[in-house]
Each structure stands twice: as C-alpha cells, then as structure tokens.
C-alpha cells in the first residue's frame, strides 16, 4: 500500500489542469496496485485487466476536473476502475450469457473455522518460497467473487471499511459481513496447509488494532 | 457474560479489526484466556490476514507499470 497525501494530490491535480500534464504519472502511480487488484478481482484475466487498467487511467485523466475532493482520490479512481471493469464484464458476459448478479450475501456456506492448536506463528521466511505465495493466491482466487473483491481491497490493499464500501458500491455492513466470511473461508482453507511451513517468529506483525 | 466458541468465531473478523463494542471484546478476551481452540483460531485467522497483505504474495505482473505509463504518455502527450 502506498500512503495517500491529499495535499500532494490536490496540488498535482491543480497543476495538471493548468497544463503540466506529465505530473499525471506521479498522481496515478500510488493507485496502480489498487487498480490492478480491483480489476483482477472482477475480470480474473490478466490481459483483460491490463487493457481495462489502461482505459481506467485515461478516463481518470479525462475526468480530473470533475474530482471534487469530497472522497479520497484513490477511492474516486477505484470507483472509475470498478465501472470500467463492470462495463467490460457486461461485454464479456453478453457473449457468455451468465449473470453478474448470481452471488449474493444470502448464499449459505460453512464458515466454521479449522480447528488447530499449534499454528500460531507466521511462516514469514516461507513467503520467500514461491510455494506459499501460490497457496495463498490459489485460496483467494478460489473465493466466491463477492468475498474476493472485499479481501483484495481490504486485506491486500489495506483500504479501510468505508473506502472498500465506496469502491465496490456496497454498504459498510455488507463489507464487514463479506470480510468476515472471506477470512473464515481462508482460515479454514489455509490454516491446515500453512501449518506445514516451519514457523520462525519475527516481530513483523504490524498490528491492525 | 459467558460466551461459547461459536459466539467468538462470529466476532473474529471484527476482533482483528478492533471494531467491537468494548463489552463484547472484554467477554471474548475472557473466553480466550481459557480456550486454547479459540486462541488458535484467532491467531491463525490473524496470520492469514497478515500473510495475504504481504506484497510478495500479490505482485504486479512484470512490466505492468511501465506499459501503463507508456500508454498514458501516448494518450496525454501526443506531441512528446
């Protein structure tokens, strides 16, 4: 995650609109990761994502004079990315004839956690190994879409509940419910697998308190 | 109030995000002191949250940023 700086953004936008177009690179750079992962959660196809990401940044540029500063810049950018992504999905699904609205919060599932008592340390060194990254990515990619979106923004891009709700166009209550279920599903899936990685304690828990 | 394990699991995500009523949080803390299973579930869920947030797990594809900025250059600075 890259920290946002509203003063820098406001100044950048003012200067871009005044003609210093090249500053747009600096303005959009901190949002790149979020754009990519939001679109990946919607589209699941890297080349589609790249294509729509490019359309998104141009749309942001073209609409820069409409940004009023009443939302965070990144949140505004992500709502544009989401619209572009949904537009692309509609195009794809009109070819495939499957519904975008098939998944709802009403769906049932087993959210009881995996019970284990000895995995309480973080296998951080194991992250260096491709294997662990692969297990984590696979688990997240295997989540139902409505949960995956929330995890990508909230836990991977570390946006707060309000920003996540705004970027996805859902209520904060829905973000919390989906996040809870997503984490429960991930824990259930991952805890038994990650237990196999030899843990070594490192004090890198940044504390989400 | 005494709460059971199922009750604790309902609140795990909000507990990790520190988004709980203080009374409920205190009830859960009391439960965690004596329940090894719930402590492990909390730890493992928190660790999963930490692991997925690690930038090494989800990296941008190689060259993504360069291609994005090249596209921006083509679109916004045709004279460049």
């Amino acid at each position: 995650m890259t920290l946002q700086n509203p003063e820098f953004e406001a100044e950048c936008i003012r200067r871009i609109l005044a003609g210093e177009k090249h500053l747009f690179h600096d303005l959009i750079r901190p949002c790149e990761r979020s754009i990519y992962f939001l679109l990946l959660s919607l589209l699941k196809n890297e080349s589609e994502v790249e294509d729509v990401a490019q359309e998104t940044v141009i749309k942001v540029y073209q609409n820069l004079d409409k940004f009023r500063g009443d939302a965070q810049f990144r949140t505004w950018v992500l709502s544009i990315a989401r619209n572009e992504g949904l537009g692309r999905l509609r195009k794809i699904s009109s070819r495939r004839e499957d519904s975008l609205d098939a998944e709802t919060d009403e769906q049932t599932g087993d959210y009881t956690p995996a019970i284990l008592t000895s995995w309480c340390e973080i296998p951080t060194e194991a992250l260096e190994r491709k294997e662990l990254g692969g297990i984590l990515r696979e688990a997240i990619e295997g989540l139902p879409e409505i949960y995956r979106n929330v995890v990508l923004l909230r836990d991977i891009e570390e946006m707060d509940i309000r920003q996540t709700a705004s970027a996805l166009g859902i209520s904060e209550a829905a973000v919390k419910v989906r996040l809870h279920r997503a984490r429960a599903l991930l824990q259930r899936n991952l805890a038994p697998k990650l237990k196999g990685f030899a843990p070594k304690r490192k004090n890198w828990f940044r504390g989400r308190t | 109030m005494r709460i059971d394990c199922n009750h604790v699991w309902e609140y795990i995500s909000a507990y990790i995000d520190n988004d709980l009523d203080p009374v409920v949080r205190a009830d859960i803390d009391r439960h965690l002191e004596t329940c090894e299973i719930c402590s492990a579930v909390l730890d493992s869920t928190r660790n999963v949250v930490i692991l997925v947030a690690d930038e090494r797990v989800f990296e941008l594809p190689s060259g993504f940023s360069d291609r994005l900025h090249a596209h921006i250059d083509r679109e916004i600075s045709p004279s460049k």
Side-chain angles (χ1 to χ4, degrees), chain A residues 11-12 14-24 61, chain B residues 76:
Chain A
E11 173 68 7
C12 236
R14 192 189 61 73
R15 289 172 60 185
I16 293 163
L17 292 175
E20 294 183 70
K21 294 176 176 181
H22 63 280
L23 289 175
F24 184 68
Y61 177 77
Chain B
I76 73 174

Side-chain angles (χ1 to χ4, degrees), chain A residues 12 29 50 66 86 123 160 163-164 181 188:
Chain A
C12 236
R29 199 166 273 117
E50 187 138 352
K66 299 191 181 70
L86 289 175
D160 64 25
Q163 291 171 326
T164 306
R181 291 179 180 174
R188 190 182 165 83

Side-chain angles (χ1 to χ4, degrees), chain A residues 82-100:
Chain A
R82 179 174 155 270
N83 282 337
E84 293 294 304
L86 289 175
R88 178 63 63 99
L89 263 190
R90 274 184 217 106
K91 273 188 205 163
I92 297 168
S93 70
S94 67
R95 296 200 290 266
R96 279 202 319 237
E97 289 188 353
D98 56 7
S99 167
L100 298 181

Side-chain angles (χ1 to χ4, degrees), chain A residues 172-186:
Chain A
E172 292 184 21
V175 170
K176 290 181 188 180
V177 168
R178 292 180 190 187
L179 189 61
H180 177 72
R181 291 179 180 174
R183 287 170 172 174
L185 290 169
L186 288 175

Side-chain angles (χ1 to χ4, degrees), chain A residues 108-126:
Chain A
T108 54
D110 187 351
Y111 304 105
T112 55
I115 306 297
L116 74 172
T117 52
S118 60
W119 186 65
C120 56
E121 302 192 44
I122 303 162
T124 172
E125 285 79 6

Side-chain angles (χ1 to χ4, degrees), chain A residues 9 15 46 59 63 73 75 92 103 105 122 201 207:
Chain A
E9 289 163 357
R15 289 172 60 185
E46 287 195 4
K59 199 128 203 176
N63 287 280
F73 181 68
T75 309
I92 297 168
E103 291 170 340
D105 287 326
I122 303 162
R201 182 170 285 284

Side-chain angles (χ1 to χ4, degrees), chain A residues 162-207:
Chain A
R162 196 176 54 77
Q163 291 171 326
T164 306
S166 171
L168 293 174
I170 58 178
S171 70
E172 292 184 21
V175 170
K176 290 181 188 180
V177 168
R178 292 180 190 187
L179 189 61
H180 177 72
R181 291 179 180 174
R183 287 170 172 174
L185 290 169
L186 288 175
Q187 189 271 353
R188 190 182 165 83
N189 179 343
L190 287 170
K193 295 176 188 166
L194 295 178
K195 206 179 161 192
F197 285 90
K200 272 188 192 164
R201 182 170 285 284
K202 245 192 191 175
N203 290 325
W204 69 299
F205 174 45
R206 298 185 296 278

